[in-house]
Amino acid sequence: MNIPFLGDRGEKHRNHDPEGIAELLSECQLLRALAAREGIQLDDSVSSLEALDQLVPRWRDDEETLSWLGNDAGLYLGTVIVRSVPGAAWEIWESGQPVVRLDSGREFDVVASGHEWAASGVPELSQVYAEVAEE
């Protein structure tokens, strides 16, 4: 996912508003609408990731929905991580790709994980969360 309006591509680091970025990246409108139709409340908790993992993947036949849903799933995964793992924060790569960075310096491309989940269900979102949380 490329979000060029978050900063100039040529700048290595820029002082962004971390709360504003987190709020923007947490919207995930398509995923939230899908979850609501299935009776799942996305409350930024680990249990909501587990509930998403149980969804029947009816979206896999629609390439456009699959791509958007993959983005949203990755951003939602990142939102849960940033809000519940101490020291986790959003980082925007020069390419505009949002990733989650831990205190250790390790970065996770949660959007790539979201696309993998949307396309195949593996890895499960809750599994990725567990791996990140134990870092």
Side-chain angles (χ1 to χ4, degrees):
M1 176 174 203
N2 187 348
I3 307 178
F5 61 85
L6 291 177
D8 296 331
R9 290 177 182 239
E11 294 182 24
K12 179 84 173 159
H13 295 284
R14 183 176 171 165
N15 292 330
H16 296 290
D17 172 21
E19 289 181 25
I21 290 172
E23 188 66 31
L24 175 68
L25 296 177
S26 72
E27 288 181 3
C28 314
Q29 292 177 348
L30 180 62
L31 182 67
R32 289 182 187 279
L34 171 72
R37 280 194 306 269
E38 297 294 327
I40 298 171
Q41 180 183 4
L42 298 186
D43 58 2
D44 302 342
S45 68
V46 178
S47 61
S48 66
L49 293 175
E50 293 166 351
L52 287 172
D53 288 337
Q54 301 305 311
L55 285 176
V56 176
R58 295 182 183 102
W59 58 82
R60 290 196 182 133
D61 293 334
D62 181 346
E63 281 296 315
E64 186 174 337
T65 299
L66 180 67
S67 178
W68 279 100
L69 190 63
N71 280 331
D72 277 10
L75 295 175
Y76 184 71
L77 171 62
T79 296
V80 174
I81 293 169
V82 166
R83 292 185 176 167
S84 62
V85 174
W90 285 107
E91 172 110 0
I92 308 299
W93 285 345
E94 288 181 30
S95 66
Q97 179 76 8
V99 297
V100 172
R101 177 182 269 259
L102 302 180
D103 271 343
S104 67
R106 186 158 180 214
E107 295 177 336
F108 290 89
D109 186 349
V110 290
V111 173
S113 296
H115 279 280
E116 291 172 11
W117 172 82
S120 68
V122 178
E124 292 183 335
L125 298 174
S126 59
Q127 178 185 4
V128 175
Y129 174 87
E131 291 171 12
V132 171
E134 72 181 31
E135 283 279 320

